[in-house]
């Protein structure tokens, strides 16, 4: 039986649960793959196969799901560091650099990942690329200056589309009340240059390039889950 993309996500998410140990402080990612992980973790916790966990969710959606699962939650302000964060991704390259933020949670995801000793990614096979950038790069911007930021980016030749919400005419708003620009880069041969450009723009709150952060990927494939560890 060939795994569908949904099955690839589910199997990768459940395989990654093996790196969780009792007593850990955990970051919980956002998205459909992370949701499989949170449900699986909830089950292990309720069955007392994992105990004494403390979890920091990376979005309101994940907090709600984790609450439903009965997982013990805290906020990022109440921990100094985390043992492990498990999260999904929109793309990853051979160096395990990532594009994240397709689900709009990049800001909290990056903060939580940056406080984690280990950052594990769960993904279906479509997320593996040779070069980042086929997926639009999400950039979180303050509503006050979204057009200014978009104009700056477009002046460098990259189209920056304001993400729309479900309500026709309304922009999508992040959990922090910001907007998202989706950058149509078409491929980013120079990732540090893109990162540097975005971080130099006033009005940019965060961007979805996660460079040199992930330690490992659990990759769901058609016939198995592959574990890819970062080589330094
Ligand atoms: O970065 C994210 C949310 O901000 C998600 O991890 C990313 O969009 C992948 O989502 P999915 O697991 O649904 O494919």
């Amino acid at each position: 039986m060939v795994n569908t993309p949904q099955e690839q996500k589910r199997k990768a998410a459940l395989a990654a649960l093996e790196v969780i140990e009792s007593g850990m402080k955990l970051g919980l990612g956002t998205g459909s793959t992370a949701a499989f992980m949170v449900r699986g973790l909830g089950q292990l916790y309720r069955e007392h196969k994992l105990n004494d966990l403390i979890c920091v969710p990376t979005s309101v959606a994940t907090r709600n799901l984790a609450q439903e699962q009965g997982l013990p939650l805290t906020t990022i302000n109440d921990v100094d560091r985390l043992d492990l964060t498990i999260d999904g991704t929109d793309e990853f390259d051979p160096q395990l650099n990532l594009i994240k933020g397709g689900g709009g949670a990049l800001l909290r995801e990056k903060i939580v990942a940056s406080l984690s000793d280990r950052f594990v990614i769960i993904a279906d096979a479509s997320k593996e690329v040779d070069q980042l950038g086929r997926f639009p790069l999400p950039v979180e911007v303050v509503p006050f200056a979204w057009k200014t930021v978009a104009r700056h980016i477009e002046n460098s030749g990259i189209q920056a589309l304001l993400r729309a919400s479900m309500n026709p005419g309304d922009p999508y708003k992040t959990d922090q009340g910001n907007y998202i620009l989706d950058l149509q880069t078409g491929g980013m041969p120079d990732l540090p240059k893109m990162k540097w450009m975005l971080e130099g723009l006033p009005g940019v709150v965060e961007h979805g390039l996660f460079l040199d952060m992930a330690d490992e990927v659990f990759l769901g494939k058609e016939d198995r889950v592959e574990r890819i560890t970062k080589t330094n």
Side-chain angles (χ1 to χ4, degrees):
M1 274 276 279
V2 170
N3 291 321
T4 62
Q6 277 301 98
E7 275 298 286
Q8 294 170 20
K9 288 182 182 199
R10 193 179 67 83
K11 289 186 176 173
L14 298 185
L17 293 173
E18 78 182 52
V19 302
I20 303 177
E21 292 169 19
S22 290
M24 277 188 164
K25 292 181 185 167
L26 292 174
L28 305 179
T30 294
S32 57
T33 320
F36 282 123
M37 182 272 297
V38 173
R39 288 195 195 95
L41 179 62
Q43 187 174 342
L44 292 176
Y45 185 74
R46 290 191 304 276
E47 290 170 354
H48 302 288
K49 292 180 179 153
L50 285 171
N51 302 301
D52 303 321
L53 301 175
I54 297 180
C55 303
V56 176
T58 52
S59 62
V60 172
T62 298
R63 188 179 65 209
N64 292 341
L65 177 61
Q67 238 158 15
E68 262 171 51
Q69 292 295 319
L71 288 164
L73 300 178
T74 189
T75 68
I76 196 72
N77 286 318
D78 292 316
V79 293
D80 295 335
R81 48 164 285 284
L82 296 163
D83 295 294
L84 168 72
T85 288
I86 303 181
D87 201 347
T89 192
D90 296 303
E91 281 185 351
F92 72 92
D93 73 7
Q95 287 72 43
L96 308 194
N97 295 313
L98 316 173
I99 287 182
K100 284 185 54 56
L106 63 144
L107 174 58
R108 294 189 189 185
E109 288 173 335
K110 198 177 274 188
I111 294 169
V112 169
S114 72
L115 288 176
S116 303
D117 293 348
R118 190 169 169 198
F119 184 32
V120 169
I121 295 300
I122 46 182
D124 62 278
S126 71
K127 310 293 179 61
E128 186 176 27
V129 297
D130 288 333
Q131 184 187 80
L132 298 183
R134 191 182 53 199
F135 192 90
L137 175 62
V139 177
E140 183 158 345
V141 294
V142 290
F144 173 75
W146 78 266
K147 258 193 186 170
T148 312
V149 176
R151 232 179 272 126
H152 269 289
I153 293 169
E154 296 210 326
N155 283 342
S156 72
I158 297 168
Q159 201 184 9
L161 301 177
L162 183 65
R163 191 178 293 183
S165 73
M166 299 294 211
N167 294 337
D170 287 347
Y172 171 86
K173 272 197 176 178
T174 68
D175 286 344
Q176 304 303 129
N178 295 315
Y179 292 169
I180 289 194
L181 296 172
D182 286 307
L183 273 51
Q184 317 294 306
T185 71
M188 289 177 281
D190 192 339
L191 295 171
K193 188 174 167 196
M194 177 63 78
K195 177 179 185 300
W196 177 82
M197 188 269 278
L198 293 171
E199 291 176 3
L201 280 180
V204 169
V205 179
E206 193 48 85
H207 57 78
L209 278 180
F210 286 48
L211 304 187
D212 203 21
M213 292 180 75
D215 296 298
E216 198 171 355
V217 176
F218 282 76
L219 179 62
K221 294 190 149 182
E222 288 191 344
D223 57 342
R224 66 186 192 284
V225 175
E226 187 185 344
R227 204 166 160 172
I228 307 170
T229 307
K230 184 156 134 189
T231 46
N232 290 310

